[in-house]
Amino acid sequence: MAKSPDSSNTAPAADGAPKRGLFSRKPKEAKVKKPSRLKQIGEVFNMTRRHDPMVPWLMLLVFLGVVAVSLLVGFWLENWITGLLIGIPLGLLGATLILSRRAERAAFAQIENQPGASGAALGTLKRGWVTEDQPVAVNPRTQDAVFRAIGRPGVVLVSEGPSVRVKPLLDAERKRLARILPNVTVHVIESGRGEGQVPISQVARKMGKLKNELTKLEVNAVSKRISSLGNRLPIPKGIDPYKARPNRGR
């Protein structure tokens, strides 16, 4: 009896797909070219200039000031050429630092007063912090939210919304953390422009000034402890909490 060809070894080729031999190489996938560093700097510069028209003049002022000081030092040492060669890269570095600072302010100005702005501010924290993309508490009706970060100062809750409205969310989350982490300090920072609040551009800086109370190992232990309890928000994965709506039928 003749054996039929083994369908498991010879799968039919997809419509329009080129046939490939047994020992032929796989076709190389086209690599997506990333924008060059200069192009990225140009995009950041254009974005910053739209929100801060003074940034080109500040960068030029810093560059010329650094070069002028380097030239003066060079003339004093009777070697102005070396002073110029040192001053130009230092001037470019100073101008780049100005652009970086102004670009960060412009980026925060774009997202200020938008849902999730406090979470974006936590994304600028330096290494050593454990942050979450989703809020740990949210009011779907008012879009007030509370974000959480864990670091060596302890647990930091960053609220988003007016103080009066967001206070119940903060109190509930703080009591919840006090039950599961009684010996860990819980800090509260209210982001916003109201009285006693911190602008989102200053949230990361304020958190960096908090006094360290935990070791790196303790930070990991606290993060695992909180993660093991899960998120108390009744929101399925993949659902944007800001688009959730309360069930009116209840």
Side-chain angles (χ1 to χ4, degrees):
M1 184 176 179
K3 294 182 178 180
S4 60
D6 190 356
S7 59
S8 62
N9 294 334
T10 58
D15 294 341
K19 295 182 179 180
R20 185 166 57 88
L22 182 60
F23 297 102
S24 61
R25 296 181 179 179
K26 293 182 179 180
K28 294 183 179 180
E29 296 180 356
K31 294 183 179 180
V32 180
K33 291 185 178 180
K34 296 182 179 180
S36 62
R37 183 61 60 86
L38 290 178
K39 186 176 180 180
Q40 292 178 353
I41 294 177
E43 292 175 353
V44 172
F45 176 78
N46 291 331
M47 182 273 294
T48 308
R49 186 175 57 177
R50 286 194 297 268
H51 292 83
D52 188 357
M54 288 296 297
V55 69
W57 303 107
L58 290 175
M59 294 174 62
L60 181 61
L61 181 63
V62 170
F63 174 78
L64 294 178
V66 173
V67 173
V69 172
S70 300
L71 278 176
L72 289 176
V73 175
F75 280 120
W76 181 62
L77 297 176
E78 298 181 354
N79 192 353
W80 65 272
I81 296 179
T82 302
L84 182 62
L85 294 176
I86 295 176
I88 290 177
L90 288 179
L92 291 174
L93 178 61
T96 304
L97 291 177
I98 292 295
L99 177 61
S100 176
R101 294 280 184 89
R102 294 284 175 163
E104 185 176 349
R105 292 183 184 180
F108 279 123
Q110 286 183 340
I111 65 174
E112 193 171 9
N113 298 326
Q114 294 185 10
S118 299
L122 296 181
T124 63
L125 290 170
K126 297 180 179 179
R127 295 177 57 184
W129 289 90
V130 181
T131 60
E132 300 178 14
D133 296 333
Q134 300 294 334
V136 296
V138 63
N139 186 333
R141 183 174 61 85
T142 62
Q143 295 188 350
D144 297 336
V146 175
F147 292 84
R148 181 176 62 214
I150 306 169
R152 295 193 62 186
V155 180
V156 181
L157 299 178
V158 181
S159 67
E160 185 175 278
S163 299
V164 177
R165 290 203 319 236
V166 82
K167 189 177 184 300
L169 293 177
L170 284 172
D171 292 342
E173 184 63 21
R174 188 159 40 186
K175 291 178 181 178
R176 173 176 174 263
L177 292 174
R179 288 195 300 268
I180 62 177
L181 300 169
N183 298 323
V184 178
T185 304
V186 178
H187 305 272
V188 174
I189 297 177
E190 295 186 16
S191 66
R193 293 287 182 177
E195 184 178 356
Q197 294 185 330
V198 180
I200 59 172
S201 59
Q202 303 294 326
V203 169
R205 184 177 302 178
K206 184 174 180 63
M207 292 175 63
K209 293 180 180 180
L210 296 175
K211 184 179 178 181
N212 293 335
E213 299 181 7
L214 304 177
T215 64
K216 293 182 179 180
L217 293 178
E218 289 173 339
V219 170
N220 292 331
V222 170
S223 177
K224 291 180 180 178
R225 171 65 174 166
I226 295 177
S227 299
S228 64
L229 298 176
N231 194 346
R232 68 187 181 92
L233 286 175
I235 301 173
K237 293 184 177 179
I239 300 299
D240 187 352
Y242 294 112
K243 295 181 180 179
R245 292 292 181 270
N247 188 351
R248 301 298 183 182
R250 291 184 180 180

